[in-house]
Amino acid sequence: IPTIFYEANTRGDQKLGALATRIYAAAYLPADGNSYWIEKLSAGFVSAGPAGLACAANNPQGCTDMASFYRMIGWNWGRAWRLSAKAAALIRSPCNGGGMEACFDLGEQYDQGQGVPTDAAHAMALYEKACDGRVAAACQKLGDDYWYGIGVAADKQKGATLLKKGCTLGYQWACQEVDFLRKGDSDWKPEFDQ
């Protein structure tokens, strides 16, 4: 396992680091599921690895990657609130500094109450900022919210426009959703394809 962690840190491979974390957990965690050591080990990987070093050097993408990893290990190992709060603290600055992926991630946290209080209005504002910054997943999320009226008044035209934008930006899920709505939802109007 130390070899896997070393390789993950050397390559900056968070998926490999997550795999090493899971192997360690399966082999060494007590049966009661106490995740204290898994959190410590994972936090060490994150902060000592390329993402942690980049974040320490005020690189917005490094902080965003580090926050994503904290969220992942938090939800996988039952330390969700504390690690998600740490993730939210890490990505506020990159979002404010123009890191649009960070804004999308922070929006998800506010949307789902992960480490921050649930705040749908703040989440929507962050999604809009990220969509304007060309984050395709944020456009798809906003499109869903407007199409189905989730947290906002339903607006099929705006929802369709945002879903198509997410597709145009290359997010396959948005493309599949547009195709699904075209074929199977009577609310899809021909003018939505203009």
Side-chain angles (χ1 to χ4, degrees):
I1 291 171
T3 302
I4 296 173
F5 271 104
Y6 174 78
E7 284 298 316
N9 272 326
T10 302
R11 289 192 241 163
D13 188 335
Q14 290 186 355
K15 288 183 181 176
L16 187 59
L19 173 65
T21 299
R22 288 190 175 114
I23 292 169
Y24 176 86
Y28 299 108
L29 280 182
D32 67 2
N34 182 337
S35 60
Y36 173 80
W37 288 108
I38 202 71
E39 180 184 339
K40 290 293 184 194
L41 193 61
S42 298
F45 165 74
V46 172
S47 59
L53 297 174
C55 184
N58 294 318
N59 176 302
Q61 189 60 51
C63 292
T64 301
D65 292 346
M66 194 169 163
S68 295
F69 195 77
Y70 275 130
R71 285 178 65 198
M72 181 189 72
I73 61 173
W75 287 107
N76 286 344
W77 301 107
R79 303 267 179 164
W81 181 263
R82 189 156 50 95
L83 289 178
S84 292
K86 189 179 256 189
L90 281 171
I91 58 178
R92 272 191 189 90
S93 180
C95 175
N96 292 336
M100 295 299 108
E101 289 285 341
C103 292
F104 174 67
D105 288 352
L106 189 57
E108 282 190 315
Q109 288 192 246
Y110 276 102
D111 200 15
Q112 299 166 12
Q114 294 178 349
V116 293
T118 301
D119 185 339
H122 192 54
M124 288 289 283
L126 289 164
Y127 290 145
E128 286 178 15
K129 182 177 180 179
C131 181
D132 290 345
R134 303 182 53 80
V135 177
C139 298
Q140 186 268 333
K141 173 67 174 115
L142 279 172
D144 273 352
D145 289 350
Y146 279 104
W147 185 268
Y148 297 106
I150 301 169
V152 294
D155 182 338
K156 303 291 185 183
Q157 177 69 51
K158 189 167 187 174
T161 299
L162 288 162
L163 287 168
K164 289 189 310 181
K165 182 176 180 180
C167 179
T168 301
L169 291 171
Y171 192 50
Q172 274 311 158
W173 185 255
C175 297
Q176 291 172 356
E177 193 164 357
V178 166
D179 191 48
F180 172 78
L181 291 171
R182 267 190 195 123
K183 292 177 181 174
D185 193 316
S186 61
D187 288 334
W188 190 273
K189 306 284 187 241
E191 62 267 20
F192 292 171
D193 288 318
Q194 310 280 324

